[in-house]
Amino acid sequence: MPLMPELSPLLLELSNLIEEAGRLAVESRQSLVSELKADGSIVTNGDRAVETWLRPRLTQLAPSSEVWGEELGWSAPGPGGLWVVDPIDGTSNYSYGNPLWGVSAALLVGGKITMGAIALPDLNEIYLSEVGAGAYLNGKPLPMIPAGEIKRHQLVSAFDGAMDRIGRNQFPGKMRTIGSFVLEGAFVATQRLRGMICCREKLYDVGAVVLINRELGADVRYADGSPFVEANLMAEGPITQPWIVFPKDSGFSLVG
């Protein structure tokens, strides 16, 4: 995949890793083994293989960093930062042959997301971002997300936790649920979806999506208007209140 020369060497290396991780996930699906976790969600040999493969390679990219991944557990940040990794997001989709799933990784340094990458292998798409450098799809810069309200005919993804907390009648636009947070976040970045309303994710789910959309001018915040601060999410627990990735000046708020 040809890449823009503006990207840093570290982000270029991350791009190569996330692309290779996606290929490994595709290969693992050829001999798929699925089981249920304690929470009732599916985990596969692909999830574990991808995270096991990524961990040592990510810490090589950022010396003295640590990794928090969905399948192999939480770690506190190291002096070189913390990688947050979702080896396969949308595992149910992946395990049933649905192409709507992805692999993601992001690096936090000093409590801030500094770079992120998403691979959507079945769609042949790689998303990259670095603080201050914009966001890229398959090596080409993505345009800024147009500001303004979400119209009734425009698509907005909504996750179960958010639907439970907010109520369907408060959602703007037409609601869609695809079943993969990173894919829906990538679709907001490309404006295939106008925005997304979220709740109950963990930092490893959201890191790359947050940075990519921030770099495109999205409004990333809690639904009540308070700021989304990733440094407050570095413990093991989930995000406990609804939050949004919306266009700037959408006018959406739960206040009042």
Side-chain angles (χ1 to χ4, degrees), residues 30-64:
Q30 296 173 11
S31 54
L32 188 71
V33 178
S34 300
E35 59 187 88
L36 292 181
K37 299 185 196 179
D39 64 2
S41 63
I42 295 174
V43 63
T44 72
N45 55 311
D47 296 83
R48 295 189 176 114
V50 168
E51 186 170 331
T52 299
W53 186 88
L54 273 173
R55 278 176 170 262
R57 290 163 175 83
L58 291 172
T59 54
Q60 277 187 322
L61 285 189
S64 301

Side-chain angles (χ1 to χ4, degrees), residues 211-241:
L211 181 62
I212 288 167
N213 283 282
R214 274 181 178 161
E215 286 293 307
L216 298 174
D219 186 14
V220 181
R221 59 173 169 85
Y222 290 105
D224 65 4
S226 57
F228 185 94
V229 181
E230 56 265 33
N232 297 336
L233 302 172
M234 297 176 74
E236 290 187 77
I239 301 169
T240 57
Q241 59 179 307

Side-chain angles (χ1 to χ4, degrees), residues 77-82 107-114 230-231 234:
L82 178 69
L107 177 64
L108 290 92
V109 178
K112 295 283 189 181
I113 308 167
T114 60
E230 56 265 33
M234 297 176 74

Side-chain angles (χ1 to χ4, degrees), residues 199-203 206 222 228 233 237-243:
C199 193
R200 304 298 299 173
E201 300 80 21
K202 295 185 179 180
L203 190 56
V206 311
Y222 290 105
F228 185 94
L233 302 172
I239 301 169
T240 57
Q241 59 179 307
W243 62 286

Side-chain angles (χ1 to χ4, degrees), residues 22-199:
R23 284 195 287 267
L24 175 59
V26 171
E27 291 169 5
S28 297
R29 195 165 49 183
Q30 296 173 11
S31 54
L32 188 71
V33 178
S34 300
E35 59 187 88
L36 292 181
K37 299 185 196 179
D39 64 2
S41 63
I42 295 174
V43 63
T44 72
N45 55 311
D47 296 83
R48 295 189 176 114
V50 168
E51 186 170 331
T52 299
W53 186 88
L54 273 173
R55 278 176 170 262
R57 290 163 175 83
L58 291 172
T59 54
Q60 277 187 322
L61 285 189
S64 301
S65 62
E66 297 291 340
V67 180
W68 176 17
E70 179 175 12
E71 305 308 335
L72 301 181
W74 178 86
S75 292
L82 178 69
W83 292 98
V84 289
V85 175
D86 196 340
I88 296 176
D89 184 78
T91 300
S92 294
N93 289 350
Y94 166 85
S95 66
Y96 288 109
N98 184 319
L100 304 179
W101 59 276
V103 181
S104 73
L107 177 64
L108 290 92
V109 178
K112 295 283 189 181
I113 308 167
T114 60
M115 67 174 54
I118 294 170
L120 306 180
D122 285 347
L123 303 184
N124 296 311
E125 294 184 349
I126 302 288
Y127 295 77
L128 302 172
S129 188
E130 193 164 15
V131 167
Y136 296 78
L137 169 56
N138 290 349
K140 297 181 179 179
L142 285 165
M144 299 295 282
I145 293 171
E149 67 176 297
I150 295 173
K151 301 187 185 303
R152 292 181 62 185
H153 64 275
Q154 293 177 321
L155 303 181
V156 174
S157 73
F159 291 80
D160 290 344
M163 287 189 281
D164 292 341
R165 292 287 296 275
I166 296 175
R168 291 173 182 260
N169 62 339
Q170 295 195 63
F171 284 89
K174 281 190 171 183
M175 190 170 63
R176 291 291 184 270
T177 301
I178 295 173
S180 167
F181 182 92
V182 299
L183 186 133
E184 294 182 38
F187 279 14
V188 175
T190 55
Q191 285 294 279
R192 297 163 181 162
L193 293 170
R194 187 68 171 129
M196 60 198 300
I197 304 177
C198 325
C199 193

